């Protein structure tokens, strides 16, 4: 079971189309279903109309998801339960450090873990990462990955100071198998994966298969991103966009006689080869 999980921060751009296509083909090639999840846990960053725009682009490219759209904003009870379990295990602490006070990997290096804060004080919640934590993964495209996570960071945020659930927590909970069995997404999120696997372990949740796809960059080498205003995919040229994305995924060129997105996708699904995805 695969999923595509855009944040509602703008329309679909070429980079997110690549993630949508790669995750769809990887799921469908194995006979799996493919879901659309809207990661709408950060209202201040949400852009009105993005869900409709994302849906319209997926539809224009015949990237059809199964079932209803899932919204992370409907899953607060899950995230709350997860926090309660971490709290009961003694994994959490409150922190008031500002960005400038944090270490290189964003960890709290002060003594917040030993402090008592008044209930009225705005704090974020951090999960402690034991020094000996090692996370290994056989990435569907990149092969074996190994992180000495406990040496890289000693803690990270699971609930923000503004009270919102952190992406790491929400993704770890929603992506735990059996709800998702495959998480195929851009390589820009590779750093997040060991944190999410760590959380799944602490929560006693099974981890899905992970695979990280190439990330598209603009002419300055910066990742295409909705927040940076990357331009929306042109819904009037789906064949061209799909062919370009397939090339970027290292997949074979569909025959020229295929003139509609549905048959192009069916052909590409039958030829999908994870080993051809550029590393
Ligand atoms: N919603 C996040 C994004 O759009 C992450 C998605 C994911 O984990 O695949 O960048």
């Amino acid at each position: 079971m695969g999923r595509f999980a855009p944040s509602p921060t703008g329309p679909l751009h070429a980079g997110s189309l690549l993630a949508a296509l790669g995750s769809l083909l990887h799921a469908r090639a194995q006979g799996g279903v493919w879901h659309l999840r809207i990661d709408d846990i950060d209202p201040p960053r949400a852009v009105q109309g993005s869900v409709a725009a994302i849906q319209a682009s997926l539809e224009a490219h015949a990237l059809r998801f199964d079932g209803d759209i899932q919204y992370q904003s409907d899953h607060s009870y899950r995230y709350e339960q997860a926090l309660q379990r971490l709290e009961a295990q003694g994994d959490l602490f409150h922190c008031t450090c500002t960005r400038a006070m944090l270490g290189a990997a964003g960890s709290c290096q002060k003594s917040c873990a030993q402090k008592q804060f008044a209930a009225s004080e705005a704090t974020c919640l951090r999960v402690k990462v034991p020094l000996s934590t090692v996370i290994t993964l056989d990435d569907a495209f990149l092969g074996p990955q190994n992180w000495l996570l406990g040496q890289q960071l000693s803690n990270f945020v699971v609930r923000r100071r503004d009270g919102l659930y952190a992406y790491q927590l929400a993704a770890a909970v929603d992506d735990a198998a059996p709800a998702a069995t495959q998480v195929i997404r851009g390589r820009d999120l590779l750093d997040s994966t060991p944190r999410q696997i760590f959380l799944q372990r602490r929560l006693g949740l099974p981890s899905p298969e992970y695979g990280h796809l190439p990330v598209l960059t603009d002419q300055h080498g910066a990742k295409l991103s909705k927040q940076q205003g990357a331009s929306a995919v042109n819904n009037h040229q789906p064949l061209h966009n799909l062919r370009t994305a397939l090339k970027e995924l290292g997949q074979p060129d569909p025959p020229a006689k295929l003139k509609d997105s549905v048959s192009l996708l069916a052909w590409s699904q039958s030829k999908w080869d994870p080993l051809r995805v550029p590393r």
Side-chain angles (χ1 to χ4, degrees):
M1 191 185 309
R3 94 314 184 251
F4 173 53
S7 304
T9 48
L12 212 66
H13 55 74
S16 37
L17 182 73
L18 195 75
L21 178 65
S23 61
L24 173 129
L25 291 177
H26 197 72
R28 297 265 197 253
Q30 297 176 29
V33 296
W34 185 67
H35 290 297
L36 175 63
R37 184 183 81 208
I38 301 295
D39 285 359
D40 57 345
I41 42 162
D42 192 351
R45 273 183 53 214
V47 173
Q48 187 114 34
S50 352
V51 178
I54 291 170
Q55 252 186 296
S57 288
L58 292 176
E59 183 52 34
H61 292 79
L63 299 168
R64 301 196 176 129
F65 54 90
D66 296 287
D68 294 330
I69 304 184
Q70 299 163 16
Y71 291 90
Q72 285 199 318
S73 55
D74 290 338
H75 298 171
S76 301
Y77 66 98
R78 292 189 194 165
Y79 311 143
E80 205 48 55
Q81 264 175 2
L83 287 179
Q84 280 170 16
R85 172 157 179 175
L86 295 172
E87 173 67 30
Q89 290 170 179
D91 289 345
L92 301 182
F93 68 91
H94 290 267
C95 168
T96 49
C97 288
T98 59
R99 201 171 286 236
M101 294 156 82
L102 301 174
S107 289
C108 165
Q109 299 176 305
K110 305 268 187 247
S111 53
C112 289
Q114 276 79 52
K115 280 192 213 148
Q116 291 291 332
F117 294 99
S120 58
E121 208 161 345
T123 60
C124 74
L125 274 179
R126 291 176 169 273
V127 64
K128 301 174 204 161
V129 182
L131 187 61
S132 60
T133 305
V134 175
I135 305 284
T136 56
L137 168 71
D138 194 10
D139 188 282
F141 314 115
L142 301 171
Q145 305 292 311
N146 188 33
W147 292 273
L148 303 174
L149 192 68
Q151 290 183 19
Q152 287 163 9
L153 56 149
S154 45
N155 53 72
F156 61 93
V157 176
V158 284
R159 199 189 67 203
R160 297 168 15 174
R161 190 197 284 254
D162 56 12
L164 296 173
Y165 301 105
Y167 160 67
Q168 305 295 355
L169 178 80
V173 169
D174 285 339
D175 287 336
T181 51
Q182 294 175 347
V183 171
I184 306 300
R185 58 187 175 193
R187 223 159 272 173
D188 53 313
L189 293 167
L190 187 58
D191 265 3
S192 292
T193 301
R195 301 178 198 215
Q196 292 168 16
I197 295 175
F198 169 75
L199 284 173
Q200 287 159 351
R201 280 195 199 163
R202 295 304 301 164
L203 292 165
L205 298 170
S207 295
E209 172 193 18
Y210 285 96
H212 296 84
L213 299 167
V215 166
L216 299 185
T217 52
D218 63 17
Q219 67 270 34
H220 310 294
K223 177 197 156 234
L224 290 191
S225 92
K226 287 177 281 199
Q227 281 162 285
Q228 302 304 322
S231 51
V233 288
N234 181 347
N235 292 343
H236 300 297
Q237 47 170 47
L239 284 174
H240 168 80
N241 298 337
L242 289 171
R243 284 179 181 279
T244 307
L246 284 166
K247 226 172 251 138
E248 275 141 5
L249 291 171
Q251 302 302 304
D253 238 347
K257 66 169 198 277
L258 298 176
K259 296 277 187 233
D260 68 284
S261 304
V262 173
S263 22
L264 190 118
L265 288 172
W267 187 91
S268 300
Q269 178 185 318
S270 71
K271 299 278 189 258
W272 174 251
D273 182 358
L275 296 177
R276 293 183 61 145
V277 173
R279 290 187 169 218

